[in-house]
Amino acid sequence: MKNLTTTQAPQLAAPGAGLPKVELFFARRLVRWKARRTDRASAAATFAKERDGILRMMESFAPEQLMTQVLIKRLPGLEDSSRFWSVLMTVDHLRIVNQELAEIIAGLCAGQPPQRAVSTAAVKPNKNVDTSFIPAFAQVCREFEATVAAQKDLRTPLYHAHPWFGPMDAADWHFMAGFHMGLHRQQIERILVGL
């Protein structure tokens, strides 16, 4: 399937529907394996690289292009409901998720696990985005990095459950931030190709 720029919303799975069962089975093992083998410096470098790549990609496009929703072929690890986003919708999703991840990491490191369950359906973006979301995304990324830098040890005795990957400590969540940004950077690349 080619990327399609369209004004009509396609029929997609409901937000929070998750991944196909076989894909989820392998994704769980891969993510858990990678999270346990990625050190703090590497996780931080991945996060910074993905953030910078996303910000750089947007520089060459006009605001109306960045606001245009494009239907893309589903990437492994991407919910079906997320296939018809604009670049700025994707950036808003990352802003929301990175803010939540900073709160989870800070809570776990302080010995206070978050009371709210993580939900993929709850972090979908605002459809009415504009370029003001770009500096907001950059600011949340800086705040995430500052939150992580302030923690002495990310290998916490407390865990918080991801809906797909199960219980994770603060270091696992730190890894997840860069891994997640990389997935959505690929999504942005596909959206931009479809414009």
Side-chain angles (χ1 to χ4, degrees):
M1 180 187 115
K2 290 183 173 180
N3 291 346
L4 299 172
T5 303
T6 178
T7 55
Q8 292 185 333
Q11 280 292 98
L12 301 173
L19 301 177
K21 287 183 181 181
V22 173
E23 182 179 325
L24 181 57
F25 175 83
F26 288 106
R28 279 184 179 139
R29 279 139 190 85
L30 176 67
V31 167
R32 302 293 297 183
W33 185 83
K34 283 188 166 188
R36 286 292 158 168
R37 283 155 185 79
T38 301
D39 64 29
R40 185 173 180 161
S42 297
T46 298
F47 183 88
K49 181 186 97 182
E50 297 297 352
R51 176 207 55 225
D52 292 346
I54 289 166
L55 290 169
R56 202 169 28 254
M57 280 192 292
M58 292 188 286
E59 291 173 354
S60 303
F61 292 85
E64 55 274 5
Q65 291 176 301
L66 298 176
M67 292 185 284
T68 301
Q69 289 180 246
V70 175
L71 180 63
I72 64 166
K73 183 178 178 182
R74 192 182 70 79
L75 290 159
L78 187 72
E79 281 192 323
D80 187 59
S81 63
S82 303
R83 293 192 306 116
F84 186 54
W85 288 0
S86 67
V87 170
L88 290 177
M89 287 173 68
T90 309
V91 166
D92 186 42
H93 166 71
L94 290 170
R95 178 192 61 78
I96 294 165
V97 169
N98 290 339
Q99 189 168 20
E100 285 198 7
L101 293 182
E103 292 169 8
I104 290 169
I105 290 168
L108 291 174
C109 289
Q112 301 168 345
Q115 299 303 306
R116 186 177 62 209
V118 175
S119 164
T120 58
V123 293
K124 297 303 179 186
N126 183 336
K127 289 185 180 183
N128 300 313
V129 290
D130 59 36
T131 54
S132 70
F133 284 70
I134 298 172
F137 162 71
Q139 177 63 31
V140 166
C141 287
R142 287 190 294 273
E143 291 169 1
F144 174 85
E145 290 171 313
T147 297
V148 171
Q151 310 309 318
K152 184 177 178 183
D153 187 4
L154 297 177
R155 285 292 172 206
T156 56
L158 295 177
Y159 293 78
H160 191 58
H162 185 282
W164 298 349
F165 307 119
M168 301 197 307
D169 68 8
D172 296 335
W173 283 106
H174 183 215
F175 162 80
M176 180 58 68
F179 182 83
H180 179 253
M181 292 258 282
L183 171 65
H184 288 289
R185 187 241 327 132
Q186 293 175 62
Q187 178 184 10
I188 290 170
E189 289 171 347
R190 288 194 180 187
I191 293 169
L192 293 174
V193 166
L195 289 174

